[in-house]
Amino acid sequence: MRRICVFCGSSAGKDPVYVEQAEILGKLLADRGIGLVYGGASVGIMGTVAQAALSAGGEVIGVIPKHLMRAEIAHAGLTELHVTEDMHERKAKMAELSDGFLALPGGAGTLEELAEVWTWAQLGLHSKPIGLVDVAGYYQPLRQFVDHMVTEGFLRPEHRDFLLTGSDPAALLDAFATYEPPTVAKWT
Ligand code: AMP
């Protein structure tokens, strides 16, 4: 794995554990020599994960659309900052630069980014691993909803398995290294 894309909140969350775990992930990526690709902001746990990776000597590539340059306060000290025309170009660029995707806790933006790479995997458009960093059980309600999709016949069980989930980011990175994607395509 050369680079991992991290989706996460542009807010810090209520519990300090979210910031703490973002710091741990940023440092972990740098220590393993894995570059971080993310949304380029200095706010929320987006800023935390980037700063932690930079402070530990890691490569950090930000990808931010021009209309969010001010709102998300682009991080000034990144290894590289790509400024895109819009959100679509941003997500495509983040995906292109990365060998896998991790979601830390976040809000609607994080969910949208996660859903997009999940659906692309389901359609066979990429075969890169996707993981949920389940900090303090944050993603358990989503896991339950995904189970509900399967129970109700809207999601194949194999496609649920695209979302690797765990509380330990090191274990998720280990799983990424040996990842074999589910082989059942959505439309075959
Ligand atoms: P949030 O999880 O809502 O704090 O947002 C985290 C990241 O997702 C930020 O970089 C936002 O720019 C981005 N984001 C917010 N809304 C969207 C959206 N509709 N589509 C894609 N990315 C978004």
Side-chain angles (χ1 to χ4, degrees):
M1 294 266 138
R2 215 171 131 226
R3 295 191 191 116
I4 299 275
C5 179
V6 174
F7 304 129
C8 63
S10 54
S11 308
K14 267 192 181 170
D15 192 317
V17 73
Y18 300 122
V19 169
E20 284 161 21
Q21 290 299 312
E23 272 168 2
I24 286 171
L25 177 59
K27 182 171 183 319
L28 177 70
L29 291 172
D31 289 349
R32 291 201 179 189
I34 299 172
L36 165 69
V37 176
Y38 86 116
S42 61
V43 295
I45 59 172
M46 294 175 74
T48 306
V49 69
Q51 194 51 53
L54 286 170
S55 301
E59 175 196 55
V60 181
I61 301 176
V63 186
I64 196 163
K66 62 182 184 192
H67 76 279
L68 284 182
M69 277 289 283
R70 261 219 339 242
E72 297 204 345
I73 318 167
H75 195 298
L78 303 178
T79 318
E80 275 174 42
L81 181 68
H82 295 264
V83 180
T84 62
E85 278 301 309
D86 54 37
M87 300 297 256
H88 297 292
E89 196 191 319
R90 177 201 224 181
K91 287 184 291 177
K93 188 75 188 169
M94 288 166 87
E96 174 201 316
L97 290 170
S98 309
D99 303 308
F101 308 93
L102 279 177
L104 279 167
T110 303
L111 190 61
E112 198 271 351
E113 292 165 337
L114 172 70
E116 186 167 86
V117 293
W118 182 25
T119 54
W120 288 356
Q122 202 175 238
L123 294 169
L125 297 175
H126 73 79
S127 53
K128 300 173 184 178
I130 304 168
L132 301 177
V133 188
D134 191 25
V135 178
Y138 183 78
Y139 278 117
Q140 287 309 307
L142 179 64
R143 292 287 340 179
Q144 283 162 18
F145 183 58
V146 171
D147 288 344
H148 183 61
M149 291 177 183
V150 173
T151 307
E152 294 303 313
F154 287 104
L155 177 71
R156 287 176 188 252
E158 298 86 352
H159 293 161
R160 171 174 53 194
D161 299 340
F162 279 121
L163 299 179
L164 307 174
T165 307
S167 57
D168 177 10
L172 282 169
L173 289 182
D174 291 344
F176 274 23
T178 57
Y179 177 72
E180 298 280 347
T183 48
V184 182
K186 190 166 170 67
W187 303 114
T188 52

